[in-house]
Amino acid sequence: MSCQTLPHERHMDHQHGMAGTDGELRIVAFLCNWCSYAGADKAGSSQLPVPPEVSVIRVMCSGRVEPTLILEAFQKGADGVMVLACHPGDCHYKQGNLRAFCRAELLERMLPQLGIDQARFCFDYVSAAEAEKFSQLTGDFTEQVRRLTIHRETGLKD
Ligand code: FES
């Protein structure tokens, strides 16, 4: 899959896992070019807070994000993975976001069997106009994943 990224983004390194210092939280966000990526861009230009732990991967449609890509991100060290799509009815490729939603539901059910907490995965819809939603979602998800990671490392239960 061909991905374009924002200039400040970190990238997944296919040989050495994800970039970043050890102990640093790593969130991978697959964003649809036509909606969520534009929402993220607007969040940036509006100077809304977006956690620096979020690494954006731009895709042409959420329907292009195969479950294997999500699992690969986890396998390479992501602490959390987001897939943000166009709202239902707004997908430029008709049903890409519907496919992505169905896959996300299946993947969520599989994750515990792979030893991955479902709360480390997020599928949602963000339009080009929803910069505030993008900021809120990435902030909330990052904090949720941070809590899970701290609990895992310290052996605490939720
Ligand atoms: S074009 Fe945005 S989810 Fe398909």
Side-chain angles (χ1 to χ4, degrees):
M1 176 181 298
S2 153
C3 302
Q4 292 176 286
T5 54
L6 295 169
H8 65 279
E9 292 156 13
R10 290 175 297 169
H11 299 264
M12 289 201 302
D13 177 327
H14 289 273
Q15 281 193 309
H16 303 103
M18 294 193 59
T21 316
D22 279 349
E24 201 177 312
L25 204 67
R26 297 155 184 159
I27 308 287
V28 174
F30 293 97
L31 307 185
C32 164
N33 177 64
W34 304 104
C35 51
S36 319
Y37 188 84
D41 200 28
K42 191 170 177 210
S45 59
S46 306
Q47 299 191 331
L48 295 172
V50 177
E53 292 87 350
V54 175
S55 297
V56 168
I57 298 179
R58 183 182 187 176
V59 295
M60 291 310 287
C61 176
S62 62
R64 297 294 308 275
V65 184
E66 301 282 345
T68 49
L69 273 179
I70 295 164
L71 293 175
E72 186 181 340
F74 280 119
Q75 192 240 326
K76 289 184 182 295
D79 297 293
V81 179
M82 308 180 86
V83 178
L84 301 181
C86 294
H87 282 272
D90 289 346
C91 177
H92 286 224
Y93 306 96
K94 307 248 188 248
Q95 296 195 336
N97 55 357
L98 181 62
R99 284 201 195 101
F101 170 75
C102 293
R103 287 183 193 145
E105 288 225 310
L106 281 172
L107 185 69
E108 272 180 3
R109 276 186 255 153
M110 274 177 53
L111 287 176
Q113 294 171 49
L114 301 170
I116 299 168
D117 194 312
Q118 290 170 312
R120 292 183 181 277
F121 175 66
C122 165
F123 177 89
D124 213 319
Y125 305 102
V126 174
S127 76
E130 292 179 316
E132 287 187 13
K133 182 176 180 183
F134 179 79
S135 171
Q136 186 78 47
L137 264 178
T138 51
D140 290 350
F141 184 67
T142 300
E143 282 319 302
Q144 176 175 299
V145 172
R146 191 187 311 284
R147 277 196 301 276
L148 286 169
T149 303
I150 289 169
H151 287 189
R152 183 183 62 199
E153 286 168 3
T154 58
L156 292 172
K157 300 245 187 272
D158 284 331

